[in-house]
Amino acid sequence: MMRRTVPVFVAAGLATALALTGCGQAGQGGTTTKDGRTQLTMWTHSAGNAAELAVYEKIIDDFNSSQDTYEVVHESFPQGAYNDAIVAAAASGDLPCLLDLDGPIMPNWAWAEYLQPLGISTDITDKLLPTAVGKWNGEIYSAGYWDAALSIFARKSVLEANDIRIPTTEQPWTKDEFDSALDTLKKAGYDTPIDIGAEDTGEWWPYAYSPLLQSFGGDLINRDTMLTADGALNGDDAVAWGTWFQGLFEKGYASNAGTIGNQEFVDDKVALSYTGVWNALASVEAIGDDLVILPPPDLGNGPKIGGGSWQWAISSSCNDADGAREYLEFSFNDKYITEFADNQIVIPATEAAAQASKYFGDDGVLRPFVEFSQKYAVLRPETPAYAVISTTFETAAKNIMSGADVKGTLDQAVKDIDANIASNDGYGF
């Protein structure tokens, strides 16, 4: 296999990250504790997230107490610096045995030989949501305890007052119904009928808006070959999506002038909110029984939402991968998955964990998100090119939002993506 260069999407922060990774090779499986255990270091992106870290610490404590062969220790990094820290550690041969990663990034790190196949029991991975399992070249390289899902929040009273049908998973809004609902709500006095989060930046754009493109029939790349975006991102369906997306802003249905989060909806300044499960419990508490959690619209090819969140992997430099796998298999106990989901308000990756949850079981107030994830979730393209696809799509979609020519903008995005794929010899496809 050819030698890899530093992935383009994290090279810029490499110098800063080098200062964050001064842990040497301790924790790769070659260090022993005073009582003779092999020490395994685990890195997370969770610095500052007390609820998330509390679950990790409980799992680690339980695992360390359950056997006397291994000791897992964890280090947490701020999310903004985490990817750079991983790349810096990989460049110096200092990756930990265990690391978490955002699902879409995994193929790039596997291609760059940072990771080894996960190798945990299929009895575990077969029970997980498909979007909680990361694959590259036909092998599983990562797996996670949870996933997230998007939906449309609304007030039942507002929809009924404006004679707008309440959609269901069996009968979501069609494009015409969705457009009509936005127009009706605009005329009813909402200056901006829907908050779609367009003031946000980064991965939110492909995560939130490429599913709308896919619902039109387009995509970020030709998934049959993974070698070109031509036809997928600039074909007739993609142009139709871009024209419609641009129209949301031209008609005043959506805006990029709000604040990140869901507060405008809670304050009834917007009628609808296109947002995620992480905002759901606060909305339930604020709005009560008047809140309805709706599926995304069917824009022609079925409702779609993004899938794939943070997952666990084992570095290629881990000297005791068996120990790392033993820890991971221990950690995927349903009770930990349930606890993590209820602490973080995310979707449990197993149905058993969901049923044990306070929120995601059959009668749970957040059950619709489980159903949306099961029915509508689409992984972002599993290719090492995804980092470039992501930033290129964000730029293109923002330009379209601001009034740029739709076809020309998408053609340029295709050229940029295809140039990156060609310069990397197709990333092995």
Side-chain angles (χ1 to χ4, degrees):
M1 185 175 291
M2 63 182 289
R3 188 172 180 83
R4 308 302 187 196
T5 56
V6 174
V8 64
F9 57 99
V10 285
L14 193 56
T16 301
L18 286 167
L20 296 172
T21 59
C23 59
Q25 295 190 11
Q28 291 185 348
T31 301
T32 56
T33 62
K34 290 181 180 180
D35 59 357
R37 298 184 183 210
T38 298
Q39 191 174 84
L40 305 172
T41 293
M42 181 179 92
W43 284 8
T44 80
H45 73 291
S46 306
N49 188 330
E52 189 167 329
L53 286 173
V55 181
Y56 291 153
E57 288 167 358
K58 176 176 176 56
I59 297 170
I60 290 168
D61 288 346
D62 288 353
F63 175 75
N64 288 342
S65 299
S66 72
Q67 45 74 52
D68 57 12
T69 305
Y70 304 104
E71 180 184 65
V72 173
V73 295
H74 75 90
E75 299 180 33
S76 297
F77 295 78
Q79 184 169 336
Y82 184 71
N83 286 350
D84 290 342
I86 293 293
V87 174
S92 58
D94 291 339
L95 282 172
C97 263
L98 293 153
L99 60 149
D100 70 351
L101 50 80
D102 199 5
I105 221 170
M106 181 279 292
N108 191 288
W109 289 1
W111 170 80
E113 300 179 358
Y114 296 177
L115 311 175
Q116 60 180 286
L118 196 62
I120 65 174
S121 172
T122 56
D123 290 342
I124 294 172
T125 54
D126 286 350
K127 294 178 181 178
L128 300 177
L129 288 168
T131 52
V133 178
K135 295 181 180 179
W136 165 243
N137 267 356
E139 294 191 81
I140 295 173
Y141 274 81
S142 60
Y145 305 143
W146 58 279
D147 204 355
L150 296 180
S151 71
I152 294 176
F153 292 5
R155 285 174 170 81
K156 183 179 180 181
S157 59
V158 169
L159 298 182
E160 290 179 342
N162 288 280
D163 198 26
I164 296 171
R165 182 179 70 85
I166 297 175
T168 64
T169 53
E170 293 76 22
Q171 192 178 359
W173 279 327
T174 64
K175 176 182 175 297
D176 287 346
E177 283 183 299
F178 185 51
D179 290 347
S180 176
L182 295 176
D183 187 61
T184 297
L185 293 166
K186 180 85 173 173
K187 292 174 179 175
Y190 286 98
D191 290 340
T192 305
I194 187 168
D195 178 6
I196 66 169
E199 64 279 348
D200 211 336
T201 60
E203 187 58 24
W204 170 255
W205 278 71
Y207 175 69
Y209 308 139
S210 68
L212 303 178
L213 163 69
Q214 290 152 358
S215 187
F216 263 87
D219 208 341
L220 296 169
I221 193 171
N222 181 333
R223 297 193 189 219
D224 291 336
T225 67
M226 293 292 191
L227 293 175
T228 181
D230 192 37
L233 187 52
N234 63 348
D236 291 346
D237 291 332
V239 172
W241 161 79
T243 302
W244 172 82
F245 186 73
Q246 190 174 77
L248 294 178
F249 300 91
E250 290 179 343
K251 296 172 183 176
Y253 295 160
S255 168
N256 66 341
T259 57
I260 295 174
N262 198 44
Q263 195 59 44
E264 277 101 344
F265 173 73
V266 171
D267 293 341
D268 200 24
K269 293 179 180 178
V270 298
L272 308 174
S273 180
Y274 180 53
T275 189
V277 62
W278 53 89
N279 283 323
L281 193 59
S283 296
V284 169
E285 292 170 350
I287 297 168
D289 292 340
D290 200 25
L291 178 72
V292 283
I293 298 170
L294 309 177
D298 178 353
L299 301 175
N301 285 265
K304 311 290 183 187
I305 59 173
S309 294
W310 287 83
Q311 300 172 1
W312 290 101
I314 300 173
S315 72
S316 56
S317 57
C318 180
N319 292 324
D320 201 327
D322 287 342
R325 291 183 181 107
E326 185 174 326
Y327 167 78
L328 287 179
E329 290 181 344
F330 180 92
S331 77
F332 274 91
N333 187 299
D334 286 325
K335 68 179 181 181
Y336 298 130
I337 296 175
T338 298
E339 184 173 359
F340 191 96
D342 285 354
N343 277 15
Q344 290 295 104
I345 314 301
V346 289
I347 301 164
T350 69
E351 181 59 23
Q355 291 300 338
S357 163
K358 292 185 288 186
Y359 309 117
F360 295 100
D362 286 340
D363 298 323
V365 67
L366 303 184
R367 182 66 185 182
F369 288 100
V370 179
E371 297 171 2
F372 298 163
S373 185
Q374 292 171 343
K375 291 175 68 73
Y376 305 141
V378 178
L379 286 170
R380 282 152 282 180
E382 294 177 289
T383 168
Y386 179 73
V388 170
I389 293 171
S390 172
T391 56
T392 301
F393 177 81
E394 178 187 3
T395 298
K398 285 182 173 179
N399 288 340
I400 289 170
M401 173 186 70
S402 299
D405 177 73
V406 173
K407 175 62 173 170
T409 300
L410 294 177
D411 283 343
Q412 185 59 53
V414 167
K415 290 177 183 177
D416 293 343
I417 291 168
D418 285 8
N420 173 265
I421 293 171
S423 70
N424 286 281
D425 297 323
Y427 288 107
F429 283 104

